[in-house]
């Protein structure tokens, strides 16, 4: 007994600590957590940093560049040359073998280059800003998609949890009815069909309960994945589906002023136009000359053995200053074809921008309609559920008093179960449709 108590005291702090580490989220908290930890959101943030680094990488190509070079040669077998022997006082017509230079040599040099003019560099620097804008817009779109995914996953978990509770309650009621009906039948006051009808309904509800329990686990894993948590994390949701739905009913949202320029899909279509325009400028810039300057300084040293690093070794310096001018003259109409293709791509991008504007406006009207329908359907399904509950209750009483058949009771129960699921789904639809509308409005 004493050992058990000691073990319990040891385990209690650990259990309390484990309890504290179980994450719990309201819907807003889940969205904020996902915006920081969702895998796609994290990579979109990295893309922005990558675009910033790429911008500097492009700018740096037009700034002074310094490079160094060192080479070492050891002629294991030096080449032999023949020169007339008479140069050395020998017989005319004969030759003397001579080896020129020393077998080992080393050269070191440093070169400074500076780009003076290059049209493609100017366009490239402009393109980096457009690419950075694109990365920022892509991050915004990713955040909106993550927010939408969290809302849908969060609602699906609540839906599954409510389905489990309702199915358990329905199953408990049916088991009680079946038990009473069996007793009546065993006492000779009922028929076997009533027992069979209730057994059929109970089996169906039991299957629904098992499916809802499986979905509860799967939907929670999907939510964890969207949040950026391990899928097996026992995440706790603090929202109530009915209260959350009530908070999402805001018909004033339908009258919000819409600025299409704030829509992220429009921004990305504009980005595409800017990119195509710069590609056209780049194609035209290839017909311009390029001018670069350089200055070089180096030294050479020669020896019979490797002593180039010693202080007494002699080095012979050299330096060159120069300018390179490259003038495109004739490309067999290749540059012209490239420019024409860039013009076509720009015209296509303009058409896509016009199409995007019309699609966004249509999506807005469709989202408003879907949201209104979801709110109306929620009200209707709530009323239908109340009616179905009253009908089922009356049939329960009639069945108990022998005024209704088991078939009529089963019809009323089936209608109730259908109304329950429609009511739950209508609440999730309100939440999701509002999120879709807010995504288009960029709110």
């Amino acid at each position: 007994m004493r050992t058990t108590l000691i073990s319990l005291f040891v385990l209690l702090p650990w259990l309390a600590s484990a309890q504290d580490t179980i994450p719990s989220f309201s819907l807003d908290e889940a969205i904020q957590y996902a915006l920081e930890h969702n895998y796609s959101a994290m990579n979109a943030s990295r893309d922005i940093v990558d675009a910033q680094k790429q911008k500097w990488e492009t700018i740096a190509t037009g700034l002074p560049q310094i490079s160094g070079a060192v080479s070492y040669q050891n002629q294991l077998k030096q080449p032999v040359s023949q020169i007339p022997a008479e140069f050395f006082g020998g017989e005319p017509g004969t030759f003397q073998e001579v080896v020129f230079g020393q077998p080992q040599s080393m050269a070191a040099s440093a070169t400074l280059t500076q780009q003076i003019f290059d049209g493609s560099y100017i366009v490239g620097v402009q393109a980096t800003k457009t690419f950075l804008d694109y990365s920022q817009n892509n991050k915004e779109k990713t955040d909106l998609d993550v927010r939408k995914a969290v809302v849908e996953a969060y609602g699906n978990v609540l839906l599954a949890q409510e389905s489990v509770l309702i199915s358990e309650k329905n199953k408990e009621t049916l088991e009680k009815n079946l038990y009473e009906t069996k007793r009546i039948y065993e006492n000779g006051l009922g028929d076997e069909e009533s027992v069979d009808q209730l057994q059929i309904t109970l089996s169906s509800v039991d299957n629904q309960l098992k499916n809802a329990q499986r979905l509860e686990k799967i939907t929670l894993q999907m939510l964890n994945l969207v949040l950026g948590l391990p899928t097996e994390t026992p995440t706790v949701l603090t929202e109530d589906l009915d209260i959350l739905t009530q908070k999402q009913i805001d018909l004033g949202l339908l009258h919000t002023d819409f600025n299409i320029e704030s829509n992220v899909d429009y921004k990305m279509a504009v980005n595409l136009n800017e990119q195509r325009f710069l590609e056209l400028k780049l194609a035209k810039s290839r017909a311009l000359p390029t001018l670069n300057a350089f200055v070089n300084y180096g030294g050479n040293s020669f020896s019979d053995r490797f002593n180039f690093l010693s202080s007494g070794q002699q080095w012979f310096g050299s330096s060159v200053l120069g300018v390179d001018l490259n003038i495109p003259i004739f490309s067999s109409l290749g540059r012209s074809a490239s420019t024409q293709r860039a013009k076509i791509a720009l015209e296509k991008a303009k058409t896509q921008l016009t199409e995007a504007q019309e699609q966004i406006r249509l999506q807005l009207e469709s989202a408003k309609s879907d949201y209104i329908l979801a709110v109306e359907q929620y009200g209707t399904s709530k009323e239908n559920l109340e009616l179905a509950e009253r009908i089922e209750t009356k049939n329960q009483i009639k069945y108990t008093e022998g005024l209704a058949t088991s078939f009529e009771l089963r019809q009323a129960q089936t209608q109730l179960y259908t109304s329950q699921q429609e009511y739950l789904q209508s609440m999730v639809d309100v939440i999701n449709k509002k999120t879709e509308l807010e995504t288009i409005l960029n709110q």
Side-chain angles (χ1 to χ4, degrees):
M1 182 67 179
R2 182 179 178 183
T3 304
T4 304
L5 287 174
I6 293 174
S7 300
L8 183 60
F9 281 120
V10 171
L11 286 174
L12 277 176
W14 180 86
L15 292 173
S17 175
Q19 185 73 20
D20 292 339
T21 59
I22 296 177
S24 62
F25 301 101
S26 65
L27 179 57
D28 290 337
E29 290 170 344
I31 292 172
Q32 292 303 316
Y33 185 88
L35 291 178
E36 295 181 11
H37 300 89
N38 176 270
Y39 305 118
S40 297
M42 291 170 64
N43 281 336
S45 298
R46 294 186 180 111
D47 286 339
I48 293 178
V49 177
D50 181 73
Q52 293 170 338
K53 299 300 181 183
Q54 184 174 344
K55 178 179 180 180
W56 177 248
E57 180 183 355
T58 303
I59 293 173
T61 59
L63 301 178
Q65 308 289 315
I66 299 176
S67 61
V70 177
S71 66
Y72 164 74
Q73 291 185 358
N74 186 352
Q75 295 180 341
L76 301 178
K77 186 68 175 179
Q78 288 184 278
V80 176
S81 300
Q82 288 186 329
I83 62 174
E86 59 187 295
F87 290 167
F88 302 98
E91 291 283 338
T94 61
F95 294 88
Q96 177 71 41
E97 290 79 12
V98 178
V99 175
F100 290 100
Q102 294 171 289
Q104 298 192 40
S105 64
M106 179 174 282
S109 65
T111 303
L112 170 66
T113 59
Q114 173 61 58
Q115 185 181 92
I116 298 176
F117 176 79
D118 189 337
S120 62
Y121 171 75
I122 297 173
V123 177
V125 173
Q126 293 173 339
T128 58
K129 181 181 182 301
T130 301
F131 183 67
L132 181 58
D133 290 342
Y134 170 82
S135 299
Q136 291 170 340
N137 289 333
N138 183 62
K139 167 62 175 172
E140 182 180 346
K141 182 174 178 60
T142 300
D143 287 348
L144 289 172
D145 290 340
V146 168
R147 178 178 182 273
K148 181 179 177 182
V150 170
V151 172
E152 291 179 353
Y154 198 100
N156 288 336
V157 175
L158 293 179
L159 173 61
Q161 291 175 345
E162 290 293 333
S163 295
V164 169
L165 294 176
I166 290 176
S167 296
E168 288 176 342
K169 183 178 178 181
N170 292 338
K171 182 180 178 181
E172 182 181 351
T173 301
L174 282 170
E175 287 175 339
K176 181 179 179 181
N177 290 342
L178 181 60
Y179 176 80
E180 293 174 350
T181 303
K182 281 183 177 180
R183 299 287 78 79
I184 293 174
Y185 171 67
E186 290 169 356
N187 291 328
L189 300 177
D191 54 26
E192 187 177 7
E193 181 182 352
S194 299
V195 177
D196 293 341
Q197 289 283 0
L198 286 172
Q199 185 62 57
I200 292 172
T201 306
L202 179 59
S203 298
S204 177
V205 169
D206 187 53
N207 287 335
Q208 291 176 1
L209 174 59
K210 292 176 181 178
N211 184 57
Q213 289 171 336
R214 290 192 296 270
L215 286 177
E216 182 180 11
K217 180 180 179 180
I218 293 172
T219 54
L220 184 58
Q221 290 175 334
M222 293 176 65
L223 175 61
N224 285 334
L225 180 63
V226 174
L227 292 175
L229 292 169
T231 55
E232 297 300 326
T233 303
T235 306
V236 176
L237 278 58
T238 60
E239 297 274 16
D240 177 84
L241 183 58
D242 187 55
I243 296 176
L244 181 60
T245 303
Q246 294 294 331
K247 291 193 294 186
Q248 298 300 315
I249 298 178
D250 179 17
L251 296 180
L253 187 64
L254 300 170
H255 307 292
T256 302
D257 292 334
F258 177 55
N259 180 12
I260 194 171
E261 294 181 357
S262 66
N263 182 276
V264 68
D265 291 323
Y266 176 82
K267 292 179 182 178
M268 299 188 76
V270 171
N271 269 144
L272 179 62
N273 270 260
E274 294 172 347
Q275 291 173 14
R276 295 294 179 261
F277 175 72
L278 290 172
E279 288 171 4
L280 176 59
K281 289 184 66 176
L282 178 62
K284 291 180 178 179
S285 71
R286 294 194 178 103
L288 300 174
T290 61
L291 182 63
N292 297 286
F294 67 92
V295 61
N296 170 278
Y297 183 81
N300 295 278
S301 183
F302 309 94
S303 178
D304 292 329
R305 56 190 178 84
F306 191 91
N307 58 354
F308 301 106
L309 302 180
S310 62
S311 59
Q313 180 64 21
Q314 187 175 12
W315 286 80
F316 303 94
S318 63
S319 181
V320 178
L321 172 66
V323 176
D324 291 328
L325 177 64
N326 183 18
I327 304 175
I329 297 176
F330 182 65
S331 66
S332 297
L333 300 181
R335 287 192 300 271
S336 176
S338 176
T339 302
Q340 293 302 317
R341 289 188 60 202
K343 286 181 179 179
I344 293 171
L346 177 58
E347 293 302 319
K348 289 172 62 177
K350 290 179 179 178
T351 302
Q352 290 173 340
L353 177 59
T354 303
E355 181 184 18
Q357 288 175 306
E358 297 303 319
Q359 285 181 340
I360 292 169
R361 292 190 178 97
L362 182 59
Q363 289 172 359
L364 176 61
E365 294 304 318
S366 178
K368 286 181 178 180
S369 177
D370 291 344
Y371 180 54
I372 293 172
L373 176 61
V375 173
E376 293 175 343
Q377 190 64 38
Y378 166 69
T380 301
S381 61
K382 188 174 184 179
E383 294 174 356
N384 290 343
L385 177 59
E386 293 173 354
L387 292 173
E389 288 174 342
R390 288 205 299 268
I391 292 172
E392 196 271 344
T393 301
K394 290 179 181 178
N395 277 272
Q396 281 277 8
I397 296 172
K398 288 182 180 180
Y399 177 74
T400 304
E401 295 176 351
L403 301 177
T405 64
S406 58
F407 181 76
E408 291 172 329
L409 175 60
R410 184 170 187 271
Q411 280 187 317
Q413 289 172 333
T414 303
Q415 181 176 257
L416 173 61
Y417 304 152
T418 302
S419 297
Q420 289 171 339
Q421 292 303 315
E422 289 177 350
Y423 176 62
L424 292 178
Q425 187 61 51
S426 70
M427 289 192 285
V428 174
D429 287 343
V430 169
I431 298 170
N432 290 341
K433 296 305 179 183
K434 185 188 179 188
T435 303
E436 291 179 8
L437 179 55
E438 289 174 334
T439 300
I440 297 174
L441 294 173
N442 198 19
Q443 292 194 349

